[in-house]
Every structure is written in structure tokens, then in C-alpha cells.
Amino acid sequence: VGLVGAHRSRRLGAGTAFADIRPFRLGDRLRRISWRVSVRTQELHVTTSPAEQDSGVLLVVDALGDHGRSGGLEGRASSLDLSVRAASALAEHHIRTGDRVALRVVSFDGSMVRYGAGARHLRIIQDTLAGLRTGELPEAVADRLQLPAAAGTVVFVLSPMLSAAIGTATATLALRGLPVVVIDTLPENADPHVPQGVDPVVAGLAWRMRRIERERVLSGLAAIGAPVIPWRGPGTVDDVVSRLARRPSSPQVGAR
């Protein structure tokens, strides 16, 4: 029992490692007072520590629809193909390093795998991913869609970002200050599905408008601190996760 993962939680708690020094607040333990800093500043200051637990990783898979054509293991990949493969790879990586991983599927059935670790937990996540079926959310549910995540959780949102509900829920997490990474799973050559009886010209125009709106959503997410990267296989998120890990120690520029 204790810190088992390779990535320490970013949530502050009653740990032993040093994190920061801040002014004393009502409720702080007296043993946390830094007398050296307090004497120098003439105000009480306390030391803070990260919680003694490993990092929590939440994988959010958008299964509201499947865009593009799926050619199986050796053929072209649809958006759901890419989402499932990316989620499986991320789960395997983090579980092998000892982190706790949870899975949330956004679809009509809303599958959920709670936080856990170990080979058995990885198998449960992979089995859940293998059985995914697409389905739209009821309008009343989509309007108030939320993705609960505790403070300090690293969130990966795997989505083609063609749903306003997913974009809003992702933005809410980023605005809360959580480290959020958006993995764009829309294939570059994805073409619209044209239902029978619909004019292909009209369907093509609607698809172009939808793609334009999608680019606005992705730009907005990047602007509030949620990096957006297309899935390119193993190693896709290495650089962006390293930058997110350095974010708390980077100089911050305040607005005037």
C-alpha cells in the first residue's frame, strides 16, 4: 500500500515530499510551518506536499458515432477504430507503470470502468473497448453531459470532436485546471455518410460546415490549455505529456 505508480499525483495532500511554500491558512497543521521563511517575511508560511498516491488517468472515449470507413485490422481505420486502439495503448502503458486507470465511454449505454491497476484491470478495459457500440445520447442527457474527474487526474479525451456535448464537457475539465489532452481520432480521409434519398451535394456541403465548426472547437480547446494531437500510434502523446508535467513549475504570466 502506498505510492506504486511511476507518476506521482499532482494533488496536494499529507505527503512527505516537498511541493511548495505558501502563506498560512486557517486549518493548516502547525508542524507544516516553515519558521525560516516565516521569520524572514514576518508572516507565517507553511510547506505543502503532494499526496502519497499514484496518478489517476481517465480515458474518455467518444462513441457517439463512427466516422470514416473501417477496413478491419489491415485496412483503413475509422474514428472509432482509432479511438479504441489509442485507448487500449494508453491504458496498457499507464497500467504497466503502476498508475490507476479508469475508462468512461460516452454513448447511449455509457459504459464505465472504475479506477484500478494490474493485468486483470487492463483486460477488463480492453474487453469493454472491444465491445463498444455507437449510439447518440438523448438530447436531455447531451445538454448536461459531464465528465467527473477528481483533482489531479490526467484526462485523455479520444474523440473526432464532432459533437458539441463532448466539446463542452472537455472544455469544462480544462477550465477546472485539470491536465487534459485531446486526441483527435477523425481520419484525414474521412468522408460523410450519405443516407439513402439524401442529395450527395447537400450532404457534402453539410459535412464541410461540420468540419469548419470542428476546427473552431479544437482551436478553442487548445487556447484554454487542452492540447490537441492526432493519433499516430505509439509515442503520439510522449511530448505533450512531458510538457504538461512541467507546467506547474513553469513561469506563469498574469493578466493585468
Side-chain angles (χ1 to χ4, degrees):
V1 178
L3 182 64
V4 296
H7 304 101
R8 185 183 293 274
S9 172
R10 293 175 57 176
R11 183 177 65 84
L12 296 180
T16 57
F18 173 79
D20 198 3
I21 295 179
R22 61 166 173 78
F24 179 88
R25 293 199 293 258
L26 186 64
D28 287 334
R29 294 181 181 273
L30 296 181
R31 63 184 178 86
R32 289 288 186 183
I33 294 176
S34 173
W35 294 109
R36 180 180 301 178
V37 176
S38 300
V39 169
R40 187 172 68 247
T41 61
Q42 298 299 304
E43 292 183 359
L44 284 178
H45 282 69
V46 295
T47 60
T48 59
S49 302
E52 291 291 353
Q53 65 179 42
D54 45 347
S55 177
V57 178
L58 174 62
L59 305 176
V60 179
V61 176
D62 177 357
L64 297 174
D66 194 12
H67 306 277
R69 299 179 182 178
S70 176
L73 291 177
E74 304 298 332
R76 294 170 59 180
S78 66
S79 63
L80 191 60
D81 289 336
L82 292 176
S83 296
V84 167
R85 294 169 189 174
S88 179
L90 289 168
E92 182 174 4
H93 167 75
H94 284 284
I95 285 178
R96 284 187 174 180
T97 58
D99 294 327
R100 297 171 299 113
V101 179
L103 172 68
R104 167 72 189 275
V105 178
V106 181
S107 69
F108 71 98
D109 60 356
S111 301
M112 175 96 183
V113 178
R114 297 184 180 277
Y115 289 95
R120 181 176 179 275
H121 187 70
L122 175 61
R123 181 62 181 270
I124 293 173
I125 290 178
Q126 291 176 334
D127 287 347
T128 303
L129 291 171
L132 288 191
R133 296 292 184 271
T134 59
E136 293 285 347
L137 293 172
E139 185 175 351
V141 176
D143 289 342
R144 60 176 188 271
L145 176 64
Q146 294 183 351
L147 303 173
T153 303
V154 179
V155 184
F156 292 97
V157 180
L158 303 99
S159 169
M161 279 296 161
L162 290 169
S163 165
I166 286 287
T168 301
T170 303
T172 301
L173 289 178
L175 291 172
R176 282 178 50 197
L178 292 175
V180 179
V181 178
V182 177
I183 298 180
D184 181 7
T185 58
L186 184 68
E188 294 181 359
N189 55 3
D191 48 10
H193 172 68
V194 182
Q196 188 175 3
V198 175
D199 186 345
V201 176
V202 175
L205 180 60
W207 179 248
R208 288 179 57 190
M209 294 175 63
R210 199 172 184 187
R211 293 287 295 259
I212 292 173
E213 180 63 26
R214 184 186 99 97
E215 293 303 320
R216 291 178 56 190
V217 171
L218 294 179
S219 298
L221 289 172
I224 61 176
V228 179
I229 52 176
W231 180 253
R232 295 288 184 262
T236 297
V237 301
D238 290 355
D239 180 62
V240 69
V241 170
S242 297
R243 286 189 278 114
L244 282 175
R246 293 193 299 266
R247 182 183 292 177
S249 60
S250 301
Q252 303 293 315
V253 179
R256 293 186 177 181

